[in-house]
Amino acid sequence: MQRPVLGFWFEFGSTYSYLAAMRIEALAHDRGISLDWHPFLLGPIFRKQGWETSPFNLHPAKGAYMWRDMERTREALGLPFRRPDPFPQNGLMAARIAHVLRRGPWIGAFVRAVYAAEFGEGRDISDLSLLAGLLTDSGAPAQDVLAEAESTEAKIGLRAAVTEAEALGIFGAPSFVTPDRELFWGNDRLDDAVDWALRTVV
Amino acid sequence: MQRPVLGFWFEFGSTYSYLAAMRIEALAHDRGISLDWHPFLLGPIFRKQGWETSPFNLHPAKGAYMWRDMERTREALGLPFRRPDPFPQNGLMAARIAHVLRRGPWIGAFVRAVYAAEFGEGRDISDLSLLAGLLTDSGAPAQDVLAEAESTEAKIGLRAAVTEAEALGIFGAPSFVTPDRELFWGNDRLDDAVDWALRTVV
């Protein structure tokens, strides 16, 4: 049997992406699927809707619900949580780095390290020295990766990821895409997405 | 042990409310909780956000996702599905009727009958003769209930339900409110809400 590949689309500013990112690699391993990591940006997609910030900031009732729901869900998952200020954080550089790393051995560790710093400790993930430290902690050659993340190729590559996300119908994060292009949106739907991916391989 | 009461907030135009409404009474029975039925209207809440129709109509990618997700989920739940036209339907009269019935013996059957007609058969739920027939099928005295649903009291009562929903922080449907006022939003969260409600009784 072939291992199905699940596309994992995440945005570093997104709280629910944190909940999915911290567990998706272990879950994929346990359930026998492979992951295709897709860092992307929601900002350009939201701006096309006329939104200049997160919908959780634009709609106070929805935002209040999200923060409370985050508290409940992170507790059920045994994850630390500290609300970063400002929210959402500027995750552009972290996303460029993850784009560079996405097919290599350090991607899982780096993504978890960024989310843990941001939502576990409330740190500023646009801070380059923080990102360099997280790269080193993840085992990656920090200076080389940072230089590559600043390259035109990485900038264009991340922009292309946003375009690809839109083409797949993605409008929020986290999102999961199965081999037959079924889209599942939200941390709550990760298990459904894995179930679906497993059914694509017979 | 006292049976906890879960508040079920539903809007007749809402697709995900359909998925919750068709199974919530059986689920509540199985799990030993009572239900407090709260028909309400999302229109006035959406209009305060500047939305003149459903967010699924305003945001094409989100709408396309919802229709596909509805197809998957209704299949998993074994429910029929037919997209009503127009969407969303005008559920004002159905909501007034449900408001009148909300504490009586026919509420569950009537709510399911309306949703089944709307999303199972794609029928127009603003049609008074359809609603009269569904009331009769549910065992309710149709003409008396319809007359009461047209009363000023019912109109004011339903408007008050919208105000109460906003005070509870509700911004979408279905929503579930536990005895200690924890809010859970979405059909996906029904089981979590029941779990939480059961933990409020020791």
Side-chain angles (χ1 to χ4, degrees):
Chain A
M1 197 179 107
Q2 219 186 328
R3 283 168 79 92
V5 179
L6 186 67
F8 172 39
W9 292 79
F10 57 98
E11 142 76 55
F12 279 115
S14 150
T15 48
Y16 289 105
S17 291
Y18 165 55
L19 301 181
M22 298 308 281
R23 62 200 182 92
I24 195 168
E25 203 166 38
L27 181 73
H29 179 265
D30 289 349
R31 302 209 51 200
I33 65 165
S34 297
L35 290 179
D36 196 1
W37 299 78
H38 291 277
F40 78 117
L41 303 173
L42 277 174
I45 295 175
F46 285 170
R47 274 192 289 276
K48 287 190 186 171
Q49 293 289 348
W51 305 342
E52 290 301 325
T53 180
S54 162
F56 296 125
N57 291 339
L58 295 171
H59 309 137
K62 198 167 190 169
Y65 175 78
M66 182 276 285
W67 293 114
R68 175 65 191 141
D69 190 49
M70 199 51 48
E71 188 56 34
R72 290 189 303 230
T73 313
R74 71 94 188 165
E75 196 175 322
L77 296 173
L79 292 170
F81 191 77
R82 186 160 165 185
R83 181 171 170 166
D85 180 22
F87 172 82
Q89 287 279 298
N90 177 350
L92 176 61
M93 193 59 200
R96 283 185 186 151
I97 294 170
H99 179 78
V100 167
L101 296 180
R102 71 194 185 285
R103 296 198 177 117
W106 307 295
I107 180 69
F110 176 73
V111 168
R112 287 188 295 275
V114 174
Y115 279 117
E118 181 185 16
F119 292 115
E121 301 172 36
R123 298 188 65 182
D124 173 2
I125 60 158
S126 68
D127 178 343
L128 276 181
S129 64
L130 172 73
L131 293 170
L134 299 178
L135 276 167
T136 304
D137 294 348
S138 307
Q143 292 316 315
D144 293 354
V145 173
L146 280 175
E148 205 180 328
E150 298 272 22
S151 70
T152 304
E153 202 182 330
K155 290 174 188 173
I156 291 174
L158 184 61
R159 252 180 264 153
V162 175
T163 306
E164 191 187 345
E166 290 179 284
L168 288 166
I170 289 172
F171 56 90
S175 288
F176 313 99
V177 181
T178 66
D180 54 348
R181 293 173 69 107
E182 281 286 325
L183 174 62
F184 292 83
W185 169 52
N187 173 60
D188 285 347
R189 290 308 191 81
L190 173 52
D191 292 304
D192 288 347
V194 173
D195 290 343
W196 194 285
L198 285 167
R199 286 207 303 270
T200 61
V201 184
V202 202
Chain B
M1 198 179 106
Q2 219 186 329
R3 282 167 80 92
V5 179
L6 186 68
F8 172 39
W9 292 80
F10 57 98
E11 143 75 56
F12 279 115
S14 150
T15 48
Y16 288 105
S17 292
Y18 165 56
L19 301 181
M22 298 310 278
R23 62 199 182 95
I24 196 169
E25 202 166 39
L27 181 73
H29 179 266
D30 288 349
R31 303 212 47 201
I33 65 164
S34 297
L35 290 178
D36 196 2
W37 298 77
H38 291 277
F40 78 117
L41 303 172
L42 277 173
I45 295 175
F46 285 170
R47 273 191 291 276
K48 287 190 187 171
Q49 294 288 350
W51 304 343
E52 291 300 326
T53 179
S54 162
F56 295 123
N57 291 339
L58 294 172
H59 309 139
K62 196 166 190 170
Y65 175 79
M66 183 277 286
W67 293 114
R68 176 63 191 142
D69 191 49
M70 196 55 44
E71 188 55 34
R72 292 190 302 231
T73 313
R74 71 94 190 166
E75 195 173 323
L77 295 173
L79 291 171
F81 191 78
R82 186 161 166 186
R83 181 172 170 165
D85 180 22
F87 172 81
Q89 287 279 298
N90 176 352
L92 177 62
M93 194 59 198
R96 283 184 186 153
I97 294 171
H99 179 79
V100 166
L101 296 180
R102 73 193 184 286
R103 296 197 176 116
W106 305 296
I107 181 69
F110 176 73
V111 168
R112 286 189 295 275
V114 173
Y115 279 117
E118 181 184 16
F119 291 114
E121 301 172 37
R123 298 188 65 182
D124 172 1
I125 61 159
S126 68
D127 178 342
L128 277 180
S129 63
L130 171 73
L131 293 170
L134 299 177
L135 276 168
T136 303
D137 294 348
S138 307
Q143 291 316 313
D144 292 354
V145 172
L146 281 175
E148 205 180 328
E150 298 272 23
S151 70
T152 303
E153 203 182 328
K155 291 174 189 174
I156 291 175
L158 183 61
R159 251 179 266 153
V162 175
T163 306
E164 191 186 343
E166 290 179 285
L168 287 165
I170 290 172
F171 55 90
S175 288
F176 313 99
V177 181
T178 66
D180 55 347
R181 293 174 69 111
E182 282 287 325
L183 174 63
F184 292 84
W185 169 52
N187 173 61
D188 286 346
R189 290 309 190 84
L190 173 52
D191 291 303
D192 289 345
V194 173
D195 290 343
W196 193 286
L198 285 167
R199 286 207 303 270
T200 62
V201 184
V202 203

